Amino acid sequence: MKENMTSTMICITDERDIPAEYRDTPIERLLLNHNLMLRPDRYERADMLVLMCMDNRQELRLPENSAFFVRNSGGTQNGVAFSISFAVAVAGIRYIAVIGHSDCMMVNLETRKKDFVEKLSERFMWDRAEAERHFMDMCAQFSKTDAADSVIAEVEFIRSQYPGVIAAPLFYSVEDHMLYLIGKDSYL
């Protein structure tokens, strides 16, 4: 992940807010359906993949059958790369929305080590050393210092792996339940 990135959150409240790159695409449909609460149509086939965190506070308003969803800790491709490749290769997906969110528990994950180890060992009878080893093995893979920067890094990775696929960096605010486009000169 690049350090010292600065990003701007762009709230989409009108069709005119959509950058040209995403107009008339499933990304535009996602932003408009979710933020403007448009009455969604029903689709016969998904034409987009949404990669997002497993956090239960995120609920997207999308047309039925319009997207594949891949959710994991932190909304990264770690551990789900095959699912993404399958959607792109076999299902023909050409649009991927990578969605980070506010108040993500994977930000500064190392601060949760004590609680993680204690709960696994006390509640679930894990050997304490094994619980600690498990945390340490996974922490480097899922921890992030900034949720928006993590989304940008994931978008860069996806774009490098799947040329021609449109990957959009988005951010879900758990406070206002709106989707924001993460703006940075090279991403819009």
Side-chain angles (χ1 to χ4, degrees):
M1 182 182 322
K2 292 183 181 175
E3 295 300 320
N4 300 322
M5 286 190 216
T6 58
S7 51
T8 305
M9 298 298 168
I10 303 165
C11 188
I12 306 297
T13 58
D14 186 277
E15 287 181 23
R16 295 172 295 207
D17 297 334
I18 305 286
E21 176 182 1
Y22 303 122
R23 286 195 187 130
D24 299 317
T25 71
I27 302 299
E28 177 184 58
R29 183 181 65 232
L30 166 62
L31 289 163
L32 294 177
N33 276 276
H34 183 81
N35 286 358
L36 303 180
M37 295 186 207
L38 299 179
R39 183 180 170 101
D41 296 324
R42 182 176 168 11
Y43 285 74
E44 292 301 315
R45 184 177 169 277
D47 58 2
M48 168 177 51
L49 181 130
V50 175
L51 173 62
M52 63 192 295
C53 187
M54 64 186 227
D55 191 291
N56 63 304
R57 296 171 293 172
Q58 300 174 88
E59 183 178 334
L60 298 178
R61 292 180 285 275
L62 267 174
E64 189 177 333
N65 295 327
S66 66
F68 290 103
F69 285 86
V70 177
R71 295 178 76 140
N72 72 347
S73 299
T76 68
Q77 54 77 35
N78 295 327
V80 296
F82 182 79
S83 297
I84 296 168
S85 294
F86 190 87
V88 169
V90 177
I93 295 300
R94 296 295 173 256
Y95 299 92
I96 299 176
V98 180
I99 305 174
H101 67 92
S102 59
D103 194 33
C104 181
M105 293 180 84
M106 295 298 112
V107 173
N108 300 317
L109 180 59
E110 60 280 351
T111 64
R112 301 182 189 283
K113 177 182 174 185
K114 181 180 178 219
D115 193 42
F116 182 94
V117 172
E118 283 179 7
K119 297 296 190 291
L120 280 182
S121 58
E122 291 170 10
R123 287 187 187 165
F124 304 104
M125 305 307 173
W126 278 52
D127 174 74
R128 190 171 183 80
E130 184 61 31
E132 188 167 327
R133 201 171 18 263
H134 181 49
F135 183 88
M136 296 309 294
D137 288 348
M138 295 294 111
C139 187
Q141 186 175 355
F142 291 101
S143 184
K144 52 189 76 197
T145 56
D146 181 86
D149 288 351
S150 177
V151 169
I152 290 170
E154 292 299 324
V155 165
E156 286 178 345
F157 178 78
I158 288 168
R159 289 176 179 175
S160 74
Q161 295 298 300
Y162 310 103
V165 168
I166 304 296
L170 304 177
F171 195 82
Y172 184 96
S173 168
V174 297
E175 294 79 20
D176 66 13
H177 307 288
M178 296 288 284
L179 277 176
Y180 294 80
L181 193 55
I182 301 174
K184 188 170 171 13
D185 291 340
S186 61
Y187 302 102
L188 297 176

